[in-house]
Amino acid sequence: MNKFHRWVHGNWSVPVTSGALIAISFAIKWLGEGAANIRVGPQWWLDAGAHATHTGGAFPLGDVFMLAAAVVAGYGIVAKAIRALTARVVGIDLLVSVAAIGAVIVGNFWEAAAVTFLFAIGHALEAATLNKTRSALAELVAVAPDSAVVMRDGEQQEIPAGQVRMGEVVLVKNGAKVPVDGKVVAGTGALDEASITGESIPVEKVEGDEVFAGTVSRGGFLQVVATGIGADTTLARIIHRVEEAQDAKAKTQAFIDRFSRWYTPAVMVLALVAGLVSGDVVLALTLLVIGCPGALVISIPVAIVAGIGRAARNGILIKGGEYLETSAKISAVAVDKTGTLTEGRPELTDVVVLDPALDRREVLRWAAAAESGSEHPLARPILDTAHAEGVGPQGVPAAVTPVPGKGIVSEVDGRRVLIGNAPLLEQYGIAETAEASRAAQGLAAAGRTPMIVAVDDTAIGVVAVADQIRQDAPEMVARLHRAGVEKVVMLTGDTRLVAEAVGKATGIDEIHASLLPEDKLDVVTQLQRVGHTVAMVGDGVNDAPALATANIGVAMGAAGSAVAVETADIALMGDNLLKLPEGIGLAKRTVSVMRQNIAIALVTVVLLLAGVFAGGVTMSVGMLVHEASVLVVIVNAMRLLRKTAESTATPRSGRTSTPAAQLMNA
């Protein structure tokens, strides 16, 4: 009973029933004169049109079934048209309704049945194929976990995933879905994070690592403390974002919607004028049918749904149709160096001793003592190395004074310690800095970030840190160029020499170094001023002004950031740089499909109009071609759901081997 109920209310019940009635009508006529001439009904039906040739005062039985087929298929169409009219919307359903009712009035029951039947079957096929274009969202919903195993009162309890409380310890066993966002507090394991990041290779998880709801354990046993549950999980935010994005309209779609509001009434006026001038009612009704802008109306949204769905499946969240359309126009990409082109985990590479009375350990000890009160990212590798070599500082300096753009000044054991660049030493009146400057320049030329260390009035050494270039950075730049991006620009606060070394290793087109956050904004504005559509890739903190000003702001590694998922124009869920050119390439393909669909829709209408006036195109033929064009548009958009070679490619293993990278890694 439930199956029958679902079928009755499903997409196919109406076209199947209508089709069966049409088949019965033809069967009755094919049986012969005796069956075909069984007539029922009042005389006025016969006098209304072509069927008046019958001599009896009854209605042919075959036509009864044909009329029933038109009523079954057309009832829902007429109901929709009336609802639309009450909302002051003149849509496709009204055109089909008027044409079908008119065909019935003039006695052309076959045309009425054919038009409504084809429209109904087209609607069912559209619904089925549109569901396919939304398959990415369905897949995301499907990976949402149903249950969780938690520790309560010292025992394992299996409960619905929605009942897990914040702070509870969840057990993730081999093959199970992670039910919450959280941190690993014990155990090791490998998780398939494809549903979040689009990467199919399992990721090893150990104590302290983040995990996300909807990921699947491929081995091991993890104990996870819940930090995000229910609607606060990354997976839930992704699903919400994709739902919104697929419904958001592109500028082209908004134009098509406005166009349709004028186009549909115009078709009705054209049909009325043609009927009055020619005196041919059938011609007017045929114009109504073939003028349906169905393929045109659906051409944009179906492409957007498919494109955004494909991107989401690959771990690329695009905020909506407008942003997808803008992404297809990107001609310049601005990237931050640290954490984007480089790993973002600098290490101490050099300790150059300038004072012959000291050794490496003494220079490192003074540098670490000065940096122990600093919050600068480059302080951490110095401190880590000092602790590893047994010269780590105890406590913090008596005073620490940051000097923006130059370094810091600390008071350690009653002595003044400076660590920074040559202008810092000059500002504090330290002479004899030529040797320190030469050493710093040599290190910078090798791609390292140098810091001169001075105690009181003497430069005692130079320490240098370096960040590894990401293995996929050169390939990302190359793929961006292949995707049609004219210029890839590096924006960094690091020194010119360091930036040039990274730029040479990665193939960057243009380098802007020693920038403050407001300077990055100026560069982005300048690129826009000369005509570029700019995408900015950054961490969203010190790059915030530039990200907000760029045409498209891109957040990397957004899986752990609720803010990035909700606010970024494009959020790359994983930490794979190659997702950026993949996303831009997908946006360009989507816009190309949108244009193809518009062309298919318009050419179909023009050819059908020409066919009507030239003769040979009937209402049923027009509706058949119209529905075929709608399906062609949908199938064309569904091509976007296929995986491309670049979407399945993985970053090359191993460090980049370019000369500059070798210098940095030396």
Side-chain angles (χ1 to χ4, degrees), residues 576-651:
N576 182 356
L577 283 177
L578 302 186
K579 293 294 182 182
L580 178 58
E582 181 185 335
I584 293 174
L586 179 59
K588 289 179 180 292
R589 291 199 306 277
T590 302
V591 170
S592 176
V593 166
M594 288 162 56
R595 291 170 179 161
Q596 292 166 15
N597 284 352
I598 292 172
I600 291 169
L602 293 177
V603 168
T604 300
V605 171
V606 169
L607 291 178
L608 284 175
L609 281 171
V612 170
F613 288 111
V617 174
T618 62
M619 274 193 287
S620 55
V621 170
M623 182 54 70
L624 179 63
V625 175
H626 166 265
E627 293 302 332
S629 70
V630 171
L631 291 177
V632 168
V633 160
I634 295 174
V635 170
N636 188 43
M638 288 176 65
R639 294 188 300 115
L640 295 167
L641 296 175
R642 296 183 306 190
K643 285 189 176 181
T644 62
E646 290 204 350
S647 70
T648 57
T650 54

Side-chain angles (χ1 to χ4, degrees), residues 70-148:
V71 171
V72 168
Y75 174 78
I77 301 170
V78 173
K80 287 182 182 177
I82 293 173
R83 285 197 298 269
L85 279 175
T86 59
R88 298 182 180 180
V89 175
V90 178
I92 301 169
D93 294 298
L94 181 62
L95 296 182
V96 177
S97 299
V98 172
I101 293 171
V104 169
I105 291 173
V106 300
N108 201 335
F109 304 121
W110 154 243
E111 292 289 2
V115 165
T116 53
F117 167 70
L118 288 170
F119 192 77
I121 200 170
H123 176 74
L125 286 170
E126 288 170 33
T129 48
L130 278 172
N131 286 338
K132 179 66 176 176
T133 63
R134 289 188 178 268
S135 60
L137 182 58
E139 288 179 11
L140 285 173
V141 173
V143 301
D146 298 319
S147 60

Side-chain angles (χ1 to χ4, degrees), residues 232-451:
D232 291 329
T233 64
T234 297
L235 178 63
R237 285 192 291 269
I238 291 173
I239 293 172
H240 174 67
R241 170 55 68 203
V242 174
E243 284 176 334
E244 286 188 336
Q246 289 187 333
D247 291 334
K249 293 185 178 181
K251 291 180 179 178
T252 304
Q253 183 182 348
F255 169 77
I256 293 296
D257 289 346
R258 292 194 300 271
F259 174 77
S260 297
R261 283 198 292 270
W262 290 98
Y263 172 85
T264 305
V267 169
M268 298 187 74
V269 171
L270 173 65
L272 178 62
V273 171
L276 291 174
V277 171
S278 67
D280 189 344
V281 176
V282 174
L283 171 65
L285 298 177
T286 304
L287 285 174
L288 287 178
V289 171
I290 62 96
C292 290
L296 187 65
V297 170
I298 204 172
S299 59
I300 306 303
V302 70
I304 289 173
V305 167
I308 288 177
R310 175 73 265 174
R313 193 182 294 175
N314 291 351
I316 305 166
L317 289 190
I318 301 176
K319 199 171 185 178
E322 179 182 350
Y323 301 94
L324 185 144
E325 202 168 24
T326 302
S327 297
K329 303 174 186 176
I330 291 172
S331 58
V333 174
V335 295
D336 185 36
K337 178 182 75 69
T338 305
T340 303
L341 295 175
T342 63
E343 297 283 359
R345 295 188 296 271
E347 299 174 355
L348 184 71
T349 57
D350 298 88
V351 179
V352 178
V353 181
L354 299 177
D355 188 339
L358 303 176
D359 59 14
R360 169 193 162 89
R361 287 167 58 85
E362 279 296 302
V363 173
L364 181 58
R365 182 179 72 81
W366 283 110
E371 291 283 13
S372 62
S374 171
E375 295 181 353
H376 196 280
L378 297 184
R380 179 47 51 193
I382 296 172
L383 291 168
D384 288 345
T385 304
H387 283 298
E389 296 188 14
V391 292
Q394 301 296 322
V396 294
V400 177
T401 304
V403 183
K406 296 180 181 179
I408 62 169
V409 180
S410 300
E411 185 180 332
V412 179
D413 297 334
R415 304 181 70 177
R416 186 185 67 185
V417 182
L418 286 73
I419 179 166
N421 53 25
L424 177 69
L425 272 62
E426 294 171 5
Q427 178 177 331
Y428 281 82
I430 297 178
E432 304 297 332
T433 60
E435 186 179 359
S437 296
R438 283 195 300 272
Q441 288 174 4
L443 291 167
R448 295 155 190 168
T449 301
M451 290 167 281

